[in-house]
Amino acid sequence: MGAAESRQDLELSDTESDDDQQHSEQEDQEDDYEDVKDHHSPIIKTPPKTPSSVDAIEAKLKALKLKYQSKNQSLANPVKLYVYTGANSSNPKWVIVDKLTSFSFIKKTMNWKDNEDDDDDEEEGDDDLNWFLKVGSKVRATVDQNLQLKPLMDQLRIDFVSNGVYAIKFFSLEEYKGFIEKYEKCLFENTYGFECNEENKAKVYGKDFVAWANPEAADESMWEDAEDSFGNSPVFKTPVRGNHDLREEFEEAAKGGSIKSLALGALDNSFLVSDSGIQVVKNFSHGIVGKGVYVNFDDGMKGHVDATPRKALLMKAETNMLLMSPMTSGKPHTNGIHQFDIETGKVVTEWKFAKDGTDITMRDVTNDSKGAQMDPSGSTFLGLDDNRLCRWDMRDRHGIVQNLADANTPVLNWTQGHQFSRGTNFQCFATTGDGSIVVGSLDGKIRLYSVSSMRQAKTAFPGLGSPITHVDVTYDGKWILGTTDTYLILICTLFTDKDGKSKTGFAGRMGNRIAAPRLLKLNPLDSHRAGVFNKFRGAQFSWVTEDGKQERHLVATVGKFSVIWNFQQVKDGSHECYRNQVGLKSCYCYKIVPKDDSIVDSRFMHEKFAVSDSPEAPLVVATPMKVSSFSISSSRLSYA
């Protein structure tokens, strides 16, 4: 299946078809004519079915306006409520649910929204209370990021997801702004557990992160300065529509069971890890092509693996692969890894994680740096657990490579790292080109560690209330991309030190010279269309491994969608997507690659596979039963 545009923010109107409009007009005239006549007599003496003069039409419009004004005056927080119907049909449209209703923010226990008999009086004095959004009789929703709320100031409109896609439209700018202000306060309180005020914002974000608490007053200069590094990147105008800007070049069926993970190589081959073995594919400038080679896991591997390998890490010039499997289904931790020799198709050994004679677990592993998998002599890699960050070495402490044939479940050598007492709740990590480390946590914090120390973070960015499930960083360390279930967070690590030198947060303490981050989100409609499992997963930059080269795109998986952002466009503060936004800037301009099945992984190939007429190497999208490659045409790429 080819690429698709993201859905536009369709203009709302009182009716969506001629039949609806005629019915609505007749209803207005028949039900409310007497009230209207009192204000405009004797202009319209009888309610005409089809107005035939300009005067009659003008009079009718004035009458309708007065009717709504009259109702608004007696209704608190008046709005119009719409619902989006037929999203997957040939005739999708916005339909009015209620031409005049009201919204309210109500503090209740969590079971309130499912109990229609509860009244709307605000409760007090219970620690389990949460804020809810109520719109008429149709909407009762917890105020959290799952609403996927998108404000559209120029239309006085708010779109959101709540068992469907809804929109509310306001009658004045003041009412619109009042809603946004109240929503932000309720969201803060539901997220952090206490009232939204300046004192509590300081507690949450810290004195150095004022820009995160009050982004409207933030210094944008770091984002603007960073634009200089994109001088050689292509410039895209938005929105420019194209029908075939992503061209599917190749599709390969899975062999040996469903695909569980994808290991892209920067050299000749890439690898699809499935239930029972590894499928080898060839790297080309137009994507990956099957070689007809499939390596089955041997009996030794199967006997020790409780579940299919969750992650495959290439090493030693991509001739070896570390396979990491969870100890039990549903839990990511493991107490060892298997080293797989790709050339012989054999598991070389099963390594154990241990420190000071005690077996320990790891949640994740990654390469020492962005390009480390291409190093033929590499023997070390990084490990992460809930409260551990370390480097493992497959050589013994005397510098002699272990005799794997004679070793009885050899133990990896802990060469560097730190075991934190508690509270870090590490979830994921990634490395820069020079080996600096970024770590994402359950509480949403993102920590930066230099190459020389894993004991204390140079910089710790506060969380926005959602766990970081995946993290990536550019080769030069200037940009960090964190994944949460409902949004991506893009952070600029650049700052100017006291001597006027430009540094990244990996090299020094940033202090209060920190720019506000930007969020990348889906439109509510696309979030709903992505399917039941519509959570962001595995957001990554495109792949470069040389100084002076800059990543051009970002890609993430959401259910059945691969979603692509233009990196330069996201950073452009003057881009129309950010116009009239309140709070942290959110970018909704992206390209969608839809598939018929849930996506396992979406990643760009190494930049060496980009060709002259393309701004980017091919995108590889893996579903359980097949893998596809897409080439990007620079002349047709558009985001909207």
Side-chain angles (χ1 to χ4, degrees), residues 212-245:
W212 293 45
N214 299 296
E216 291 85 357
D219 181 6
E220 290 277 295
S221 61
M222 288 302 172
W223 289 86
E224 295 168 3
D225 292 345
E227 290 293 328
D228 295 340
S229 63
F230 286 78
N232 297 323
S233 298
V235 177
F236 302 99
K237 296 181 179 180
T238 308
V240 178
R241 293 281 172 176
N243 293 326
H244 303 288
D245 46 274

Side-chain angles (χ1 to χ4, degrees), residues 126-328:
D126 191 336
D127 291 339
D128 294 330
L129 297 179
N130 283 268
W131 285 104
F132 293 85
L133 169 64
K134 183 176 184 294
V135 186
S137 61
K138 299 294 184 181
V139 175
R140 289 186 175 196
T142 309
V143 177
D144 59 22
Q145 294 291 352
N146 290 315
L147 281 174
Q148 299 281 12
L149 187 141
K150 181 182 180 182
L152 297 159
M153 182 183 290
D154 56 342
Q155 299 182 43
L156 298 182
R157 163 185 169 189
I158 302 287
D159 292 1
F160 61 94
V161 176
S162 177
N163 295 321
V165 183
Y166 287 90
I168 52 179
K169 193 162 186 178
F170 300 84
F171 294 96
S172 71
L173 182 59
E174 291 72 23
E175 292 167 342
Y176 168 89
K177 289 183 176 179
F179 177 96
I180 295 293
E181 182 179 357
K182 182 63 175 178
Y183 167 80
E184 293 289 344
K185 289 181 178 179
C186 292
L187 179 63
F188 184 93
E189 187 168 340
N190 278 1
T191 300
Y192 300 109
F194 36 78
E195 184 181 354
C196 180
N197 55 44
E198 293 304 316
E199 181 180 356
N200 288 334
K201 283 183 179 181
K203 290 179 181 178
V204 169
Y205 299 113
K207 63 179 182 179
D208 291 339
F209 293 87
V210 177
W212 293 45
N214 299 296
E216 291 85 357
D219 181 6
E220 290 277 295
S221 61
M222 288 302 172
W223 289 86
E224 295 168 3
D225 292 345
E227 290 293 328
D228 295 340
S229 63
F230 286 78
N232 297 323
S233 298
V235 177
F236 302 99
K237 296 181 179 180
T238 308
V240 178
R241 293 281 172 176
N243 293 326
H244 303 288
D245 46 274
L246 281 173
R247 187 173 65 256
E248 188 169 356
E249 297 283 0
F250 170 76
E251 187 172 270
E252 176 85 356
K255 297 179 181 178
S258 62
I259 298 171
K260 300 299 182 181
S261 62
L262 175 65
L264 288 185
L267 302 177
D268 293 335
N269 302 315
S270 289
F271 308 89
L272 313 176
V273 181
S274 63
D275 294 301
S276 58
I278 298 172
Q279 185 174 346
V280 185
V281 291
K282 180 75 173 177
N283 293 331
F284 289 100
S285 59
H286 57 271
I288 59 176
V289 178
K291 295 180 67 173
V293 177
Y294 186 85
V295 181
N296 288 295
F297 294 138
D298 59 24
D299 293 337
M301 175 77 170
K302 295 176 182 177
H304 290 86
V305 177
D306 185 59
T308 302
R310 181 179 62 87
K311 184 167 186 176
L313 190 69
L314 291 170
M315 291 189 67
K316 297 182 177 293
E318 301 178 358
T319 62
N320 277 234
M321 182 183 293
L322 299 183
L323 296 168
M324 183 176 183
S325 303
M327 291 184 295
T328 57

Side-chain angles (χ1 to χ4, degrees), residues 53-100:
S53 68
V54 175
D55 291 340
I57 294 173
E58 182 179 1
K60 181 190 169 186
L61 292 175
K62 290 180 179 179
L64 290 174
K65 183 176 180 181
L66 281 173
K67 178 188 73 171
Y68 283 117
Q69 285 178 340
S70 176
K71 289 184 179 181
N72 291 354
Q73 290 172 359
S74 60
L75 190 66
N77 302 322
V79 291
K80 293 181 182 180
L81 178 64
Y82 299 76
V83 66
Y84 197 84
T85 62
N88 297 315
S89 71
S90 60
N91 185 34
K93 60 182 179 179
W94 287 102
V95 175
I96 288 185
V97 176
D98 200 327
K99 286 188 176 181
L100 187 62

Side-chain angles (χ1 to χ4, degrees), residues 411-431:
V411 176
L412 289 160
N413 181 29
W414 174 298
T415 61
Q416 182 187 4
H418 187 65
Q419 187 162 308
F420 300 88
S421 58
R422 64 180 63 186
T424 52
N425 290 316
F426 293 150
Q427 297 289 297
C428 50
F429 68 152
T431 52

Side-chain angles (χ1 to χ4, degrees), residues 466-513:
S466 300
I468 302 295
T469 60
H470 188 271
V471 71
D472 196 19
V473 59
T474 55
Y475 185 84
D476 57 18
K478 295 179 181 179
W479 305 93
I480 294 169
L481 183 62
T483 305
T484 76
D485 287 349
T486 53
Y487 59 86
L488 311 181
I489 178 171
L490 182 65
I491 299 172
C492 178
T493 70
L494 288 171
F495 74 101
T496 303
D497 68 11
K498 60 182 180 181
D499 297 324
K501 296 180 179 179
S502 180
K503 293 182 178 179
T504 71
F506 294 99
R509 182 175 175 81
M510 297 179 71
N512 60 4
R513 300 173 295 278

